[in-house]
Amino acid sequence: VSGFTTNPSLMKKAGVKDYVGFAKEVVEKIPDLPLSFEVFADDFETMEKEAEKIHSFGKNVFIKIPITNTKGESSIPLIKKLEDKGYSLNITALLTIKQVEETVAALNPDVENIVSVFAGRIADTGRDPIPYMKQAVAICTSKKGANLLWASSRELFNVYEADRLGVDIITCTPEIITKLKKVGKTLEQVSLDTVKAFNKDIQSLGYTILSDGEPSEPVSK
């Protein structure tokens, strides 16, 4: 693990009530790794003010800016404005190659930035995300400081796919990180572990198929 990121949806799920207080606590506890915090506003004027606030949290903080607002209006002008100030950004919710191209073109090569492509959400539409991520790798490597991030991971194997393609960063939920302990296990062992897990749930729930007094073995006649 080499960094931390969150977004409004994840914070809602986690029950965070005070966004600024939470962010400052994270910066205090993780002062030496990249941290990404997202703006909340939907209009670009307020978004810029929030970006200034988030930038003040710490030198290791990246400001997450969605590629568009809810009206579909491009954030590129704001991105350029913040890049001119030397702010490190994490451009989020990218799904198309055009969005990646426009984002990377707007970035300042003298600043470390993150380009978050939602590979998992691409896959959720029935599309193979690998060709998209291959193109994104080529685009991001063309500019210094443009770090490609594989976002919305769905399974542990995504870590291996991202590494094979040369993606710089991948975000993983605690559930995916927990699965790392399965790496190296034989499939036979995983099969046995699965059966044991089923049996544990059966025991805890008290499920039964046969009624009392019904023979467990077929009766021969």
Side-chain angles (χ1 to χ4, degrees):
V1 177
S2 59
F4 174 84
T5 184
T6 189
N7 61 48
S9 296
L10 289 174
M11 297 185 78
K12 177 184 177 182
K13 183 179 179 181
V16 174
K17 303 297 184 183
D18 181 357
Y19 182 46
V20 173
F22 171 78
K24 288 183 176 180
E25 183 180 359
V26 172
V27 173
E28 181 181 344
K29 292 184 177 180
I30 312 176
D32 54 350
L33 294 176
L35 309 172
S36 293
F37 297 106
E38 189 164 345
V39 296
F40 278 10
D42 196 45
D43 67 282
F44 296 118
E45 183 178 352
T46 307
M47 206 181 287
E48 182 178 359
K49 293 177 181 177
E50 290 178 341
E52 294 283 353
K53 179 80 171 183
I54 293 172
H55 176 70
S56 71
F57 292 164
K59 294 182 179 179
N60 58 326
V61 171
F62 285 68
I63 307 160
K64 289 184 79 169
I65 305 288
I67 188 59
T68 72
N69 62 10
T70 61
K71 298 176 183 177
E73 298 166 338
S74 176
S75 301
I76 294 298
L78 175 60
I79 292 169
K80 290 180 178 178
K81 198 170 183 180
L82 296 174
E83 285 292 286
D84 288 342
K85 295 182 179 182
Y87 293 176
S88 286
L89 307 180
N90 180 339
I91 312 306
T92 189
L94 281 73
L95 276 88
T96 73
I97 296 303
K98 181 181 178 182
Q99 289 175 333
V100 176
E101 291 173 336
E102 291 177 345
T103 295
V104 172
L107 298 181
N108 183 342
D110 296 323
V111 179
E112 288 297 314
N113 292 291
I114 298 173
V115 180
S116 294
V117 179
F118 281 52
R121 295 196 182 219
I122 292 174
D124 286 345
T125 69
R127 295 174 175 85
D128 181 358
I130 299 300
Y132 291 86
M133 298 309 290
K134 279 183 178 179
Q135 292 185 66
V137 167
I139 295 166
C140 288
T141 53
S142 70
K143 176 166 280 189
K144 177 186 173 186
N147 299 285
L148 177 62
L149 183 148
W150 177 304
S152 64
S153 306
R154 296 293 187 251
E155 57 189 5
L156 177 61
F157 189 63
N158 292 156
V159 175
Y160 291 85
E161 292 176 308
D163 184 55
R164 174 170 52 85
L165 295 177
V167 176
D168 300 296
I169 312 164
I170 182 170
T171 51
C172 292
T173 60
E175 290 79 11
I176 291 177
I177 293 173
T178 299
K179 290 180 180 180
L180 284 169
K181 63 185 178 184
K182 293 184 180 180
V183 173
K185 278 191 174 184
T186 66
L187 296 183
E188 289 80 6
Q189 183 61 53
V190 176
S191 175
L192 180 58
D193 290 345
T194 302
V195 173
K196 287 181 177 179
F198 289 162
N199 184 259
K200 184 178 179 181
D201 288 337
I202 291 168
Q203 298 300 323
S204 65
L205 292 169
Y207 284 165
T208 183
I209 296 175
L210 301 178
S211 61
D212 291 343
E214 188 173 351
S216 58
E217 296 291 339
V219 178
S220 60
K221 294 183 179 179

